[in-house]
Amino acid sequence: MAAVPVLSYSGVRSYLECPLRWKFLYIDRLPEAPRGYFSFGRTLHSVLEELARPLVIPFPRRKGDATLQHTLDHFAGAPGAAGAPRGGVSPMDREAVRAAYARLWVSEGYPTKEEEVRYRVLGEEILLRFYDAFVATPPQPVAVEEHLEAQWDGIPIHGYVDRIDRSPTGGLEILDYKTTRNLTRADAVGSDQLSFYQALVEKNYPAPVESLALFDLRGGSELRVPRRSPRELAMLQDRVGKVADGIASEAFHPTPGRQCGRCEFRPLCPEFREVPAEERARLGGLVDRFQELREEERRLDRDLRSTAEELHRQAERLGVYRVPGSRTVAHRQRETRRSYPAEQLRPILEAEHLLDRVSAPDPGLVERLAGDPSVSRAVRRKISAAGTRSEAWYWDLEDGPPASPRNG
Ligand code: SF4
């Protein structure tokens, strides 16, 4: 088993999209060419970090199972402690935001100078609009761009959380800045990244996480949603566990999909590698033979079905079950199948609190339930009555001497 590295959210997502791409990135450490939109996001994150950092009042952190790291909060009345006046703490002014933006601008990856200028103008608009809202209602951050690590069900995970704020009720609120276009509240509801951060924050802070938000930087709005339930976190934990298992067992198969369009590793990927010219004729012959056999298989399958149907019709006409051939005897057999339509079965199971016994209408499980003496006879009858019965005929070939025609 291979060692599992500390997993980030983007690592988990990358593995789920394509394990081979994950290997290229995280094991082989192949570099990716810079991209303008990554540079743009990085620049905005850096400026927003500088803007919010002066307001940070640290919050107690877990050091181990039972101990807490001491912070200003342990010294009531200290400047900057929770509840203490924020004397001297003021965010930068508009000009300082512009200056930080110019200083922190990352220009790599833009396809043209014009594209870079277009993004640069857009970024300034975004930052100044963000700044106005920020100073009008300053948040109470307890951490910005915080690197957190944790063990999640024995799996090491880590991540940088854009901002963690103190909620009005003393809990924590997680915020993730996004430069993606057309974000909606549904994106925040379905964001695995926010769930991942909730798990990280809960394992590092004793205070409860109360809400999660994506900040839509282009639209200038915060998309805030309630914290994830334990069940929702368990579902993500399950996926993270599958990723860890896949990495440990070195399962790095290519999984082609939409992501291939932006994957720089296509020249290395077996899904897109071409057969060498000198091998093409020989392998092409094998492919042609395979195709012929496949077509033959389909033709035989059709012949087999129509012969069995004709045999069945003739056996029905004569009322016989066994038909001798020259070498074997064909024996007609009957198979009874039962099925249980979910819309009829579910109300019965629900009313009798039996849904945990049969979560999907699997006929085998339902029949076992219908025969279970611990279930009342009346309920068993109801379950049986919800099923529908169908019959299918099929032919078996039996060995043995062919039947000889009777004389007289
Ligand atoms: S090209 Fe597609 S299948 Fe191949 S490594 Fe990249 S993402 Fe995976």
Side-chain angles (χ1 to χ4, degrees):
M1 293 288 254
V4 177
V6 185
L7 294 174
S8 63
Y9 167 71
S10 53
V12 168
R13 195 186 57 188
S14 165
Y15 186 92
L16 291 171
E17 268 185 1
C18 175
L20 181 59
R21 183 175 155 73
W22 182 91
K23 175 179 174 286
F24 288 146
L25 282 170
Y26 292 90
I27 293 189
D28 304 336
R29 303 216 167 261
L30 300 182
E32 286 187 289
R35 304 234 168 124
Y37 55 82
F38 286 143
S39 299
F40 183 61
R42 223 163 69 222
T43 305
L44 296 192
H45 275 72
S46 303
V47 178
L48 296 177
E49 180 185 350
E50 284 206 3
L51 176 64
R53 193 168 285 290
L55 301 192
V56 168
I57 300 173
F59 203 81
R61 290 267 299 269
R62 292 183 202 278
K63 278 202 303 186
D65 284 339
T67 55
L68 298 178
Q69 178 185 316
H70 280 226
T71 70
L72 285 176
D73 283 3
H74 288 82
F75 306 99
R86 294 187 174 195
V89 178
S90 60
M92 53 176 77
D93 60 21
R94 277 179 142 243
E95 275 323 298
V97 172
R98 281 201 181 93
Y101 185 47
R103 175 167 42 83
L104 296 167
W105 178 257
V106 180
S107 69
E108 60 184 15
Y110 292 96
T112 61
K113 203 69 207 159
E114 291 72 38
E115 182 82 341
E116 182 179 347
V117 169
R118 207 169 61 74
Y119 267 96
R120 196 153 178 160
V121 171
L122 173 68
E124 186 167 311
E125 278 169 25
I126 287 175
L127 285 173
L128 292 178
R129 184 176 51 208
F130 183 94
Y131 173 83
D132 291 342
F134 185 87
V135 290
T137 323
Q140 294 200 338
V142 302
V144 291
E145 291 295 333
E146 186 77 347
H147 182 238
L148 298 175
E149 290 180 298
Q151 291 284 323
W152 202 12
D153 197 24
I155 300 161
I157 59 168
H158 81 128
Y160 288 87
V161 182
D162 288 346
R163 214 173 83 200
I164 306 169
D165 290 347
R166 188 187 299 260
S167 77
T169 52
L172 297 172
E173 298 175 335
I174 294 172
L175 188 74
D176 189 51
Y177 301 125
K178 287 279 177 233
T179 52
T180 322
R181 286 188 179 85
N182 305 323
L183 278 179
T184 65
R185 193 170 180 278
D187 293 304
V189 170
S191 165
D192 278 345
Q193 188 173 15
L194 288 176
S195 308
F196 195 89
Y197 288 168
Q198 179 179 326
L200 270 173
V201 171
E202 282 179 343
K203 287 176 184 302
N204 279 276
Y205 290 87
V209 171
E210 291 182 355
S211 66
L212 313 168
L214 295 180
F215 196 98
D216 174 9
L217 289 168
R218 285 176 190 258
S221 63
E222 190 180 270
L223 305 163
R224 186 161 292 284
V225 293
R227 54 172 283 120
R228 305 291 195 240
S229 67
R231 190 172 152 271
E232 287 167 318
L233 286 188
M235 280 160 58
L236 177 60
Q237 186 185 36
D238 191 49
R239 288 206 293 284
V240 173
K242 286 191 176 124
V243 169
D245 291 347
I247 293 168
S249 57
E250 302 188 29
F252 300 128
H253 306 294
T255 310
R258 276 173 44 198
Q259 72 278 5
C260 298
R262 58 185 154 79
C263 178
E264 291 174 33
F265 308 127
R266 277 172 73 133
L268 303 172
C269 175
E271 278 286 342
F272 294 91
R273 194 173 299 149
E274 296 206 342
V275 174
E278 65 278 14
E279 298 277 3
R280 273 192 207 150
R282 194 170 64 84
L283 266 65
L286 286 176
V287 171
D288 293 344
R289 179 74 185 130
F290 179 78
Q291 188 197 351
E292 281 166 21
L293 290 170
R294 204 18 100 67
E295 281 166 6
E296 179 77 359
E297 184 188 32
R298 289 204 191 103
R299 194 184 59 71
L300 283 174
D301 194 51
R302 278 197 302 274
D303 272 7
L304 184 69
R305 249 183 296 129
S306 66
T307 306
E309 279 162 14
E310 177 59 14
L311 201 50
H312 177 69
R313 271 195 293 277
Q314 298 307 323
E316 282 276 282
R317 185 174 63 79
L318 298 170
V320 296
Y321 273 48
R322 283 192 159 77
V323 181
S326 60
R327 284 176 293 156
T328 53
V329 175
H331 183 192
R332 193 159 65 119
Q333 313 236 34
R334 184 176 46 190
E335 186 184 47
T336 304
R337 294 189 191 129
R338 289 188 73 85
S339 59
Y340 297 85
E343 63 279 10
Q344 293 188 29
L345 184 65
R346 197 177 168 84
I348 302 170
L349 298 178
E350 236 163 22
E352 303 299 331
H353 307 291
L354 289 168
L355 268 179
D356 58 327
R357 299 273 303 269
V358 182
S359 54
D362 170 337
L365 287 178
V366 179
E367 264 153 40
R368 210 171 305 152
L369 194 63
D372 184 341
S374 68
V375 177
S376 82
R377 192 183 295 274
V379 174
R380 281 189 275 148
R381 269 205 300 272
K382 271 196 231 169
I383 292 172
S384 295
T388 56
R389 195 166 155 277
S390 61
E391 275 187 346
W393 291 91
Y394 65 97
W395 290 93
D396 256 355
L397 288 177
E398 292 178 348
D399 289 336
S404 49
R406 284 197 188 134
N407 297 320

